[in-house]
Amino acid sequence: MFSEVECAALAIAEASTLRSGTEALHQELQTARKALTDDQYSCLQWAAVAINAFNRVSILSGYPVRPRTENAAREPEKSSRE
């Protein structure tokens, strides 16, 4: 279903959200490391950290999430500049 590179990216994303460093987690990261270049690995690590930081700040600040409408998944939101 996913390519080797995509699986590596997913493993990095999951590893960055988990709090405990289990042996299985380390094994997955080592496998991911072998599938990626240095630049890819570094970029994915930074992206995962940035996304997780944003999510944690949003949760801790109590930022209200707009209710999702039925069409929201299908239609892009119009900007106020249009």
Side-chain angles (χ1 to χ4, degrees):
M1 179 179 236
F2 295 107
S3 72
E4 184 179 21
V5 171
E6 291 168 332
C7 286
L10 290 169
I12 290 170
E14 185 172 341
S16 72
T17 61
L18 298 175
R19 295 178 68 193
S20 61
T22 64
E23 184 60 33
L25 179 64
H26 290 295
Q27 285 295 97
E28 283 190 45
L29 285 175
Q30 288 300 322
T31 302
R33 186 69 190 94
K34 292 174 187 173
L36 302 167
T37 66
D38 289 344
D39 286 343
Q40 288 173 320
Y41 189 78
S42 178
C43 285
L44 287 168
Q45 287 278 16
W46 276 106
V49 167
I51 290 167
N52 279 307
F54 177 81
N55 287 340
R56 290 182 189 273
V57 168
S58 293
I59 291 166
L60 291 173
S61 69
Y63 182 78
V65 178
R66 283 183 280 158
R68 189 174 186 150
T69 63
E70 186 176 322
N71 293 331
R74 289 183 235 133
E75 297 176 11
E77 185 177 321
K78 293 183 180 180
S79 73
S80 59
R81 292 184 241 161
E82 290 181 7

